Amino acid sequence: MQQTPAIVILGAASLATARRIQQHYPQAPIYGLHGRVEADQSYSDFGATLRALYQSGMPIIALCAAGIIIRSLAPVLADKEQEPPVLAVAEDASAVVPLLGGLAGVNHLAREIAALFGINAAITTAGELRFGTCLLNPPEGYVLADVDEGKRFVADLLGGEAVSLQGDAPWLAAARLPLAEDAGRHIRVTCASGAAHDELLIHPRALVVAVEAADAELPARVRSALHELGLAEAALACLLAPLARMSEGALGEAARALGVPLRFVECGAGETPADWLCRSLALEEVLEADGLHIGRAAQPVAVEQLGRARGRLSVIGLGPGAAELMVPAVRRALDEAEDILGYATYVNMAGPLRPEQVRHCSDNREELQRAAHAFELAASGRRAVLVSSGDPGVFAMAAAVLEALEGSDDPLWHAVELEILPGVSAALATAAQAGAPLGHDFCLISLSDNLKPWDVIEQRLDHAGAADLVMAFYNPISRSRPWQLGRALEIVRNHRTPQTCVLLGRDIGRPGAKLTSLTLGELTPEMVDMRTLVIIGSSTTRSFPRAGGGEWVYTPRWYR
Ligand code: SAH
């Protein structure tokens, strides 16, 4: 099995069975429902947690009724070929039911778990029962040419057809296939394309295309070269390019378009990537078409050992905290990450993470050092994610990352694929809870004088007050900065009446979130802590009662 599963339980009654399964998969975290059971990780929403795990591709072993799992995952059951294994296990370990992920090895996982408890897994896949292997799920490094054709093929075998085996398929040797010399059906393992109607074609990923550079035409050229040579695109293991061209976008785009990894190799003087390939990998042959060199190995190629990948650094914003306020691109970056860096609180908020994802939690206040660490990881070919709360560009890590990059003359840092992914900033999350206090012109001000002189802050507050902007204060107060907020309010009060609307958002989007609506006259620094965002209205910001309690606060879009 490729990935560590997540074990999900709803209550204490399942804990013993969960721990028994965990003994077999020591890396697997147990997720327990908050308030019901103490486990390795806690969650508060079963459905949301299950969907997040499913979408991150993590195998799921849920100790609860199959129906609950089905209902929870129903909204996200789109792409069957990609889905991870999902199993239901009875809390008393009397039943193991594989539900989803037939092509990802769910039956294998079900058998392993059933064996732990000395019971039978509830396998219902006919082909697998009969042949002892899932023909549609070849091992790593091999790929089925056509899943739908494959299903018909398996149905034929179930209907009594015999089969012959051509090519190297070591995993099928142990299977109980109805083998015969003069069979009417054939399994063929080959890089060549084009299955006859009575064939199941399985491609080893054994082709490597070596290029010196890329342009927009490259994917089409690769496809036509493969076509000309009678080779299957699915047999392509990777694209190989010179290290010196790592930062060229066209190479990355070509690899993405072809759906294969891109690897970079350090060529010697006068050496091409094709030369490098010939001397570094045992090849059966090197083919040429359309000016491209395509190497074919006898076995699937271990891509991870071929040169190196272009690393990626994603500087992301989690939003205020709630999973549903995180943008999908951020979730994707987190799911794909190998290294996750940031304050421990934020790294924990970035879950669910898989055990093999390395967490670099720091309480390091030195932002440039953290940025440098992230670049070092990415420059070594890894996919790193640097986590901020809210938006990474709002009083957070993105600016430090760019400052570190600008100050670096390391070509490997500059070759990293850097992306900044936005998040819902605290001011926006708080404003939305309250209504629309930022409905007209506004400004965001950090009251922290750690990185800027207090004089500058005072001047800005004065100007923002005079300009009648709505103001949102980040970092309003802390133990080491006790008096600054009081002074800031004095300045604001020179420009605003005591009736001015004020909002305090504390831990918005997190457990224990609290929104307070009050007036400038009522506001004292004691009401505020470092987990609070303060919004001070403009002269036009207004409020009115909400049905059901509290009030709506908004700033109209017209002016006076
Ligand atoms: N990048 C973050 C801000 C980091 S500065 C963002 O875009 O939101 C830290 C300050 O942000 C805190 O002192 C607090 O004022 C505010 N803040 C961050 N998260 C918050 C939340 N969930 N609720 C209220 N305020 C928050």
Side-chain angles (χ1 to χ4, degrees), residues 412-443:
L412 287 175
W413 281 30
H414 289 269
V416 162
E417 182 183 352
L418 176 63
E419 61 176 5
I420 319 270
L421 300 176
V424 176
S425 191
L428 305 185
T430 303
Q433 293 265 304
L438 307 181
H440 207 304
D441 300 343
F442 64 92
C443 62

Side-chain angles (χ1 to χ4, degrees), residues 10 46 50 62-71 87-91 99:
L10 283 163
F46 179 81
L50 221 60
L63 278 73
C64 64
I68 303 178
I69 305 172
I70 292 167
R71 243 183 286 283
L87 308 96
V89 176
E91 68 174 27
L99 294 172

Side-chain angles (χ1 to χ4, degrees), residues 48-60:
T49 305
L50 221 60
R51 285 188 289 276
L53 289 166
Y54 178 87
Q55 284 171 325
S56 80
M58 200 158 168
I60 300 171

Side-chain angles (χ1 to χ4, degrees), residues 320-321 346 388-396 424-427 430 473-476 505-510 529-534:
Y346 300 152
S388 292
S389 79
D391 182 88
V394 177
F395 311 124
V424 176
S425 191
T430 303
F473 295 159
Y474 287 72
N475 301 310
R506 185 172 193 275
D507 280 343
I508 295 301
R510 301 178 191 172
D529 67 6
M530 64 183 292
R531 283 150 64 178
T532 308
L533 181 108
V534 181

Side-chain angles (χ1 to χ4, degrees), residues 426-498:
L428 305 185
T430 303
Q433 293 265 304
L438 307 181
H440 207 304
D441 300 343
F442 64 92
C443 62
L444 310 181
I445 301 181
S446 168
L447 295 192
S448 167
D449 55 354
N450 288 341
L451 300 168
K452 62 185 166 184
W454 179 252
D455 282 359
V456 171
I457 300 176
E458 288 206 357
Q459 262 180 36
R460 287 200 178 144
L461 290 166
D462 197 34
H463 284 121
D468 202 21
L469 293 171
V470 175
M471 296 175 227
F473 295 159
Y474 287 72
N475 301 310
I477 200 164
S478 76
R479 223 169 296 151
S480 59
R481 294 181 289 104
W483 56 265
Q484 283 86 337
L485 177 60
R487 175 72 193 116
L489 294 179
E490 276 175 30
I491 297 169
V492 170
R493 286 187 172 117
N494 293 334
H495 301 279
R496 297 279 196 289
T497 67

Side-chain angles (χ1 to χ4, degrees), residues 125-131 151-161 178:
T125 323
E128 179 136 357
L129 289 169
R130 191 87 64 82
F131 310 131
K151 286 177 187 163
R152 261 190 292 279
F153 189 89
V154 170
D156 288 348
L157 297 199
L158 288 169
E161 289 284 353

